Structures are given as C-alpha cells and as structure tokens.
Amino acid sequence: MPRVVHFEISADEPERALKFYKDVFGWESQRWDGPMPYWFFNTGAPEQPGINGGMCKRSDDFVNCVNSIDVESVDEYVARIEEHGGAVVMPKTTLPKVGYLAYCKDTEGNFFGIMQADAAAQ
C-alpha cells in the first residue's frame, strides 16, 4: 500500500523559513544541486518515527505543505488519479538520481505529490 514518505513546505523567503525550522525544531537542511532551488530537511534520527522533508520557493501553483506518496509507477498512479476524478497539476518530472515526481490534486482540490524512487533516473 503506498505511504506518505516525504513532505514539502513552500516559502516566500526560503532562507528565512529554513532558519525558523532550525531554530524551532532543530531540523538540519541541505541545498539540493538540482534544476530548481530546493532544500532537504533531516527531521530526526532514522530510528525515530517520522519522515524527512524539503522546502521550495512559494509559487502560484505551490502554496502550502505537500505530502508526497511513494508509488511503484508515477505513470500508473497518474492514470488512476485521473480515472477517479483527480487532476495532474505538474506532469511527471525526472529528478536526477532520485526518481520521478508528479504533483496532483484530489477531488477536493488538495495538492499532493506522487514519487517513484529510481536512483538511475536521468
């Protein structure tokens, strides 16, 4: 069964927000060397319950916290989402050495990601 494996927070000023989360919760962050400005959060030790996340710059299409769900195939789940009344907001995108990601909305307009892990993705 697919599970939530990652969260994302958007911010008008990511550097200010990164400092906030470090100061308040102690979360460490590291900038991702990818095609868009992005930072990964480490929210705790691997043996603790919980998930890690990330932060990106806020845009008109990305305004809130987003949970990403691990799936075996982004293509398969995009089809299932559309079949059940959901919509694709950002089509399947390759994240080099990470995998594939698409952003979608459910029938109520809630935004979420689906992520297919693939370390060989280019």
Side-chain angles (χ1 to χ4, degrees):
M1 179 181 321
R3 297 187 69 189
V4 174
V5 294
H6 186 78
F7 69 86
E8 293 177 314
I9 300 170
S10 65
D12 291 324
E13 295 184 33
E15 296 293 340
R16 178 178 65 192
L18 292 165
K19 182 179 181 336
F20 170 84
Y21 285 99
K22 175 155 180 68
D23 291 349
V24 172
F25 298 111
W27 293 356
E28 296 294 328
S29 64
Q30 180 177 354
R31 182 151 182 165
W32 179 51
D33 185 26
M36 61 184 181
Y38 195 86
W39 296 261
F40 287 105
F41 279 125
N42 179 352
T43 64
E47 63 275 5
Q48 290 181 300
I51 61 174
N52 292 319
M55 177 171 290
C56 65
K57 182 140 177 74
R58 181 170 291 141
S59 69
D60 290 340
D61 293 328
F62 193 98
V63 295
N64 294 312
C65 183
V66 174
N67 292 306
S68 292
I69 300 164
D70 177 51
V71 297
E72 289 185 29
S73 167
V74 166
D75 296 328
E76 176 186 333
Y77 276 85
V78 161
R80 292 175 70 174
I81 289 162
E82 292 176 329
E83 176 184 339
H84 290 87
V88 175
V89 176
M90 183 190 82
K92 180 179 173 181
T93 301
T94 301
L95 303 175
K97 300 180 183 175
V98 176
Y100 305 97
L101 172 72
Y103 288 122
C104 303
K105 283 187 182 179
D106 67 14
T107 56
E108 308 310 307
N110 296 306
F111 196 75
F112 62 95
I114 53 173
M115 178 74 196
Q116 174 186 336
D118 183 350
Q122 293 301 328

